[in-house]
Amino acid sequence: MPDSAPQQLLHLVIGGELVDLDHNTFKNLDEVDIVGLYPNYATAHAAWRAKAQSTVDNAQMRYFIVHLHRLLDPNQEPAR
């Protein structure tokens, strides 16, 4: 891979219906919506916003951005 390749800070957008609003526990794991994998926070945030806004009528539905790059390299300093 060339040294000039842009850094990928992988983010995963997932969502689904929660058991209750006080916890991040999905009601049915078989129905979790895996929206996609994104190379940076900005594109993940755009996908998250679109999915969250499309489900605004369901109060139990929540979408999340998972910072996969932090899981892949836990020693990496967070970007500021």
Side-chain angles (χ1 to χ4, degrees), residues 16-18 20-21 55-62:
E17 199 165 354
L18 301 180
D20 62 55
L21 298 180
T55 61
V56 72
D57 291 335
N58 183 347
Q60 299 293 104
M61 188 69 87
R62 292 288 189 270

Side-chain angles (χ1 to χ4, degrees), residues 39-57:
N40 56 53
Y41 181 80
T43 55
H45 187 264
W48 167 84
R49 180 178 298 280
K51 289 301 277 190
Q53 288 177 343
S54 73
T55 61
V56 72
D57 291 335

Side-chain angles (χ1 to χ4, degrees), residues 34-77:
I34 300 173
V35 179
L37 184 64
Y38 300 91
N40 56 53
Y41 181 80
T43 55
H45 187 264
W48 167 84
R49 180 178 298 280
K51 289 301 277 190
Q53 288 177 343
S54 73
T55 61
V56 72
D57 291 335
N58 183 347
Q60 299 293 104
M61 188 69 87
R62 292 288 189 270
Y63 281 86
F64 303 92
I65 299 174
V66 181
H67 299 264
L68 290 180
H69 61 94
R70 293 181 186 165
L71 297 174
L72 294 171
D73 187 3
N75 295 322
Q76 179 184 11
E77 290 292 320

